[in-house]
Amino acid sequence: MNRSMNETITFGARRLTIEDIVAIAQGADAALNTSSEFTGKINRSVAFLERLLAEDGAIYGVTTGYGDSCTVAIPPELVETLPLHLTRFHGCGLGQILSREQARAVLATRLCSLSQGYSGVSLDLLNQLVTFINHDITPRIPEEGSVGASGDLTPLSYLAATLIGEREVIHQGEIRPTAEVLEALNLPPVRLKPKEGLALMNGTAVMTALACLAYQRAEYLARLCTRITAMVSVAMQGNDFHFDESLFNVKPHPGQQQIAAWLREDLAADNPPRNSDRLQDRYSLRCAPHVIAMVQDALPWLRQLIENELNSANDNPIIDGEQERVLHGGHFYGGHIAMAMDTLKTSVANLADLLDRQMAQLMDYKFNNGLPYNLTGAEGSRQAVNHGFKAVQIGISAWTAEALKLTMPASVFSRSTECHNQDKVSMGTIAARDCMRVLQLTEQVASASLLAAVQAINIRQRHQELSSQDLSRNLQEMLDEVCREFEFVTEDRPLEHDLRHFVDRIQQRHWKLYRREL
């Protein structure tokens, strides 16, 4: 979590990347572009909006009610009160609370959108978002309650409320009243201008923030599953020629070629073990590049969708201070993130399924080429009472099944709501939440599979069926790193703490995998 503590990400100066949002989530500071071009654009948008209000212009969500209530005119004396009501009546979120990392990503994502200069918000509001990030004040945001259009209204109401000193925040590891934290830090709350409540809430910041975090976790999982596959291939005495470069040149998906190249790198040993019984390994080894490539080849397309959404003005109405126009539309619709997350969760669940099938072979003495059943490290008479990784494999099957169950696309479950004004919605936030859960389950599968593969290789070495010359530098280094933190399983012991430790390692992207790319 401290990798990015010394970084500062500047908003309003350039297109931001997924990595920028992840850096903020992990502790980087934020800053606003101080150029006259940027500040002038922000100020012109606000000035145009204020002039319209003075001239009695009709502006949705400013001089009218919200959603289906857009035909209700707001008396001039209540225009400044309207944003407060928007933040308050949306305070009905339920479910789990977003983590500190996730909430920081939401702050950064909303700041990026508002910094485009088309939302009619003031520099004071943008600076309040920067202040929250830099003082590590994160809104307490329940994850449930958004249909993904009109944006993430309910979860983002928790962000908006904290900026004005209401509800609760997470600060220094505790959930505390916002007003109390702001007072302790001598930070004043902001007073929302007429458009600012809507600008904060009427966008795709929650789903997009989760998508940024999900992307980087999936990117790492593709690499880790490749490494685990190589370890399983060695432990199973599999055939490395399944990953031949010429073979993959005739089906040239770039991501698939990359996975095969990484496998060749991992299996490039002086004396690679050969499987004398099978000319072709079972599909979970032979077709591993094809399965993992479903993530690897999707990443460039997913990055385009996520980063375009991240760097967009996605509230309504758009306030164009340069052309002096108010543009009413539906940019709050999260369809692109919904499609990205539905796609990503499906491809990631396939990684869990791949590893599950590899483990089914590795632990079954009928298929694992001479390894003991369930990878028990016990020998002699002690084998009878020891069961090794038997229950771990059951866990892998359970986590995989749950991940596969969650691949039903959320984006097709649109519900007409809010008096049929929101009659077609994206479900993008639900898709993103599903994806995060699938990632967690697949990381659990990967943790267990990594330990099982290490156990299997250690068994081969103890039986003198493998030597250091039989392992590539990549695999030997990985084996050594894991073994420093994981004790060989001779006698049965609870493995929960080991599994949790290595899930944490995966989520921290602890191992530097495959520095070279095609």
Side-chain angles (χ1 to χ4, degrees):
M1 289 293 292
N2 296 321
R3 179 184 63 83
S4 307
M5 288 297 287
N6 296 323
E7 297 182 46
T8 298
I9 308 299
T10 301
F11 290 75
R14 59 173 176 82
R15 276 177 64 91
L16 295 190
T17 65
I18 289 168
E19 288 73 21
D20 291 326
I21 300 303
V22 173
I24 293 281
Q26 294 180 339
D29 281 344
L32 276 186
N33 184 359
T34 58
S35 72
S36 58
E37 181 181 1
F38 173 74
T39 57
K41 184 176 184 180
I42 297 296
N43 289 334
R44 283 191 294 275
S45 179
V46 174
F48 167 58
L49 192 59
E50 290 177 345
R51 192 163 63 252
L52 274 181
L53 282 173
E55 296 169 357
D56 295 326
I59 307 168
Y60 167 74
V62 178
T63 60
T64 75
Y66 300 112
D68 186 61
S69 302
C70 64
T71 58
V72 178
I74 304 300
E77 66 273 16
L78 296 178
V79 165
E80 292 191 359
T81 304
L82 187 63
L84 291 176
H85 283 262
L86 180 67
T87 66
R88 288 169 180 166
F89 78 79
H90 273 289
C92 56
L94 293 177
Q96 298 296 313
I97 305 303
L98 294 187
S99 69
R100 167 186 173 270
E101 180 183 67
Q102 291 168 341
R104 284 181 63 87
V106 172
L107 285 168
T109 302
R110 200 73 208 119
L111 177 57
C112 185
S113 179
L114 298 181
S115 296
Q116 305 303 312
Y118 293 103
S119 300
V121 301
S122 65
L123 286 169
D124 287 343
L125 183 68
L126 299 181
N127 279 314
Q128 185 79 334
L129 287 164
V130 170
T131 296
F132 269 50
I133 290 170
N134 292 347
H135 283 81
D136 201 22
I137 306 169
T138 57
R140 175 191 169 277
I141 305 175
E143 67 178 10
E144 296 176 7
S146 173
V147 293
S150 183
D152 288 317
L153 288 169
T154 289
L156 285 176
S157 77
Y158 287 80
L159 183 156
T162 59
L163 299 182
I164 62 176
E166 297 186 1
R167 298 191 206 169
E168 295 173 318
V169 293
I170 304 168
H171 185 60
Q172 296 181 340
E174 297 181 1
I175 296 177
R176 298 169 58 191
T178 306
E180 178 184 297
V181 172
L182 294 184
E183 182 179 4
L185 296 174
N186 197 27
L187 298 172
V190 297
R191 181 181 176 87
L192 294 178
K193 295 181 181 298
K195 169 68 165 52
E196 290 183 335
L198 190 61
L200 284 166
M201 293 167 51
N202 190 206
T204 60
V206 175
M207 67 180 83
T208 305
L210 295 181
C212 289
L213 298 175
Y215 178 96
Q216 195 158 81
R217 287 169 71 176
E219 183 181 47
Y220 189 77
L221 264 176
R223 294 169 181 242
L224 181 61
C225 289
T226 304
R227 174 62 49 81
I228 292 170
T229 295
M231 298 176 81
V232 173
S233 180
V234 168
M236 289 280 295
Q237 299 179 335
N239 297 299
D240 61 358
F241 54 70
H242 290 319
F243 315 119
D244 183 87
E245 184 174 8
S246 295
L247 174 65
F248 280 86
N249 284 340
V250 303
K251 190 175 183 181
H253 295 293
Q256 184 172 278
Q257 289 180 314
Q258 179 67 83
I259 302 300
W262 284 336
L263 283 167
R264 289 194 299 274
E265 181 182 330
D266 279 348
L267 296 172
D270 293 336
N271 299 297
R274 290 283 189 261
N275 179 347
S276 59
D277 296 324
R278 292 184 66 90
L279 179 63
Q280 296 189 141
D281 294 330
R282 293 177 178 85
Y283 286 13
S284 61
L285 287 179
R286 193 186 347 155
C287 299
H290 309 75
V291 177
I292 302 172
M294 287 188 282
V295 174
Q296 192 69 21
D297 273 311
L299 289 175
W301 172 68
L302 295 172
R303 178 181 289 277
Q304 177 189 21
L305 293 185
I306 295 167
E307 290 185 351
N308 276 345
E309 191 71 33
L310 171 65
N311 290 282
S312 70
N314 47 58
D315 56 307
N316 175 57
I318 296 298
I319 307 300
D320 185 352
E322 307 299 308
Q323 301 295 322
E324 297 195 340
R325 300 179 67 194
V326 177
L327 306 170
H328 295 87
H331 284 352
F332 48 69
Y333 193 87
H336 287 82
I337 297 297
M339 181 60 67
M341 293 296 95
D342 277 347
T343 300
L344 187 59
K345 72 183 185 183
T346 301
S347 55
V348 168
N350 266 287
L351 299 183
D353 197 37
L354 176 74
L355 296 181
D356 176 56
R357 296 299 82 212
Q358 291 178 1
M359 292 304 104
Q361 288 191 64
L362 191 63
M363 297 185 202
D364 191 331
Y365 70 94
K366 297 187 295 296
F367 304 108
N368 63 17
N369 293 333
L371 288 167
Y373 62 87
N374 299 311
L375 303 180
T376 179
E379 297 187 3
S381 63
R382 300 297 301 172
Q383 271 197 346
V385 295
N386 279 281
H387 296 79
F389 280 68
K390 179 187 285 286
V392 171
Q393 192 202 346
I394 296 171
I396 288 171
S397 295
W399 304 323
T400 298
E402 186 175 345
L404 296 173
K405 178 177 71 70
L406 289 171
T407 58
M408 175 70 74
S411 54
V412 300
F413 284 91
S414 174
R415 312 295 299 156
S416 182
T417 188
E418 202 255 308
C419 301
H420 297 292
N421 175 55
Q422 298 181 24
D423 60 345
K424 172 60 178 166
V425 293
S426 76
M427 297 299 182
T429 313
I430 296 174
R433 287 173 40 227
D434 281 351
C435 188
M436 298 298 276
R437 179 60 179 158
V438 169
L439 282 161
Q440 175 68 37
L441 291 162
T442 304
E443 288 159 349
Q444 292 171 191
V445 170
S447 172
S449 299
L450 175 62
L451 298 188
V454 166
Q455 175 85 356
I457 291 175
N458 279 332
I459 289 171
R460 294 281 191 201
Q461 290 178 329
R462 287 172 180 235
H463 293 174
Q464 297 184 335
E465 297 169 357
L466 278 176
S467 69
S468 58
Q469 286 73 39
D470 298 327
L471 297 178
S472 68
R473 179 179 175 182
N474 283 359
L475 294 195
Q476 188 62 59
E477 287 180 354
M478 188 77 175
L479 189 70
D480 291 343
E481 286 195 50
V482 173
C483 287
R484 280 195 288 270
E485 301 177 350
F486 176 66
E487 182 183 351
F488 183 76
V489 181
T490 303
E491 291 288 314
D492 288 344
R493 68 175 191 267
L495 293 176
E496 176 190 346
H497 294 299
D498 294 293
L499 293 168
R500 289 187 184 277
H501 173 74
F502 282 94
V503 169
D504 288 342
R505 285 294 195 223
I506 292 167
Q507 292 176 347
Q508 295 160 357
R509 297 182 290 281
H510 176 69
W511 303 288
K512 306 302 180 186
L513 303 170
Y514 308 117
R515 296 172 181 83
R516 293 182 296 170
E517 299 195 14
L518 292 176

